[in-house]
Amino acid sequence: MTPRRVAGGMGRLAALLMLSLWLAFAAAPLAHAQLASGPAVTTDALEPPDYKSYERTAARAEKMIEDRTIVTPALEKMRGYLVEWRATLLAAQGINATRITTIRQQIDALGRPRRTAPPRTPRSPRGARR
């Protein structure tokens, strides 16, 4: 490489660095404005539900249904719990949806796997016991 080519490459690198810094600082006020108005809630920000707690609630509901002596107000209260759980579980269906989509796109971009010969297994040394 000639010294002129190296200097030209350094100039491009410096220009890219300046552009990236400018973009980073230009976007900072926008990010601050979003924080001031509150974060946008997406399903990716949700924590996964406590499935064990749900299973305990579902088991209690099943026992209540089987027990014919349970009074209506108790059943209505359980129904309220189940409605809350349904909302929680429906909201949790999209957890990590963005990340899953990105990973699927990356896998698709790799294309079909090439056919290769199976890896050779090393032979055991002579006289080795099995």
Side-chain angles (χ1 to χ4, degrees):
M1 282 186 128
T2 64
R4 178 178 255 181
R5 277 189 124 173
V6 172
M10 294 297 265
R12 285 188 202 126
L13 180 63
L16 284 172
L17 180 62
M18 291 301 290
L19 177 63
S20 63
L21 286 173
W22 182 81
L23 288 172
F25 286 114
L30 295 174
H32 180 69
Q34 184 178 8
L35 289 175
S37 65
V41 177
T42 65
T43 54
D44 286 346
L46 295 175
E47 291 293 321
D50 181 2
Y51 293 108
K52 289 187 181 202
S53 178
Y54 167 73
E55 289 172 5
R56 287 190 301 268
T57 303
R60 277 195 346 251
E62 289 173 357
K63 286 180 184 175
M64 289 177 74
I65 291 169
E66 291 172 359
D67 184 1
R68 301 282 181 183
T69 62
I70 299 294
V71 293
T72 303
L75 289 172
E76 288 175 352
K77 188 173 185 178
M78 177 55 74
R79 182 181 183 276
Y81 292 140
L82 295 174
V83 167
E84 289 175 13
W85 270 111
R86 180 181 60 202
T88 300
L89 295 172
L90 285 173
Q93 283 181 338
I95 289 178
N96 294 326
T98 305
R99 183 159 188 220
I100 291 168
T101 300
T102 301
I103 291 172
R104 283 184 177 156
Q105 290 171 345
Q106 291 172 344
I107 291 171
D108 290 342
L110 292 173
R112 299 186 77 167
R114 289 185 272 166
R115 291 188 174 204
T116 59
R120 296 179 69 186
T121 57
R123 295 183 180 174
S124 60
R126 291 183 180 210
R129 294 184 179 179
R130 289 189 179 195

